[in-house]
Amino acid sequence: MENLHLSLMKWTMGVRKNTTNIPIWGDCGRCPIGVQMIKLLIDFHNRLTQLDDANSAQIVRHAFAEQRSMGLEWYRTTQMLYHRFDPEALARSQRSSKSALPNSTLVKKRAEEWFKGEWNQAREQSRKLIFYNAIKKEHGFEPYLHLQKHKKAKFIAWLRSSSHFLNNETGRYGLRYESQHHRACNFCSTEDKELLQLLANLPTVNLIIEDEEHFIRDCPRYGELRSELSLVYRELLTKRDYKDLFSEDHVIETAKYIQKLSLMRYEN
Ligand SMILES: [Zn+2]
């Protein structure tokens, strides 16, 4: 189910199936189904526990008591979850001499916090998501996913998640990983690939890498497209304020701009 959930999010965003999951969780502002379902699970557990405490004659209560004594996996998992996310439940139960009833809302809230903490750590440690780390610090829904023209939102999703075909991305896999020259911008570098490879091996030479920043801000190939941007927008680019490019105020201009850039980039 979780794989289906992720596939559906990627399909909605218009990115490839093998796109790294971190920007998908982050931009959709979603948590795994397991985390979202946790409240239902704890509420179910609590309802059965209360029936058991009341010596209910219902069959479900007997089934619950039996499954608990057998230590079935769902029961053990529930115990493990609430011991972790609401450890105070046991102390509360001792004070009232009733069975422990974890607070399902609190368990869900803490489970979400835990997931967002894990997401944050994975994001910061990712060596691939350099651009994403510059524009995204907190897990939460992104305004570009609200854009009505799905195609435009797709171009933004490609750029943010590095699910694109810029040389910085395509040059990092397989044998291409060996040499930096595969990542150089085709427009800003010599077309002589052998010379480029030789230059890449010299310690004093820094190749012009075609990464997201070069693509949207620096590459002279797209200078004319940049001149059509609003003054405010160009200032944001100059100041490297990339996070703001994706805010409510600028996301439509970003969508149009990245679409034009991408079409020009991929036309040859
Ligand atoms: Zn360039």
Side-chain angles (χ1 to χ4, degrees), residues 185 187-188 214 219-220:
C185 175
F187 186 82
C188 300
H214 181 72
C219 188

Side-chain angles (χ1 to χ4, degrees), residues 6-21:
L6 266 169
S7 299
L8 196 62
M9 286 192 288
K10 288 180 181 178
W11 176 77
T12 309
M13 288 168 72
V15 296
R16 284 176 284 150
K17 275 185 187 170
N18 61 355
T19 302
T20 181
N21 295 339

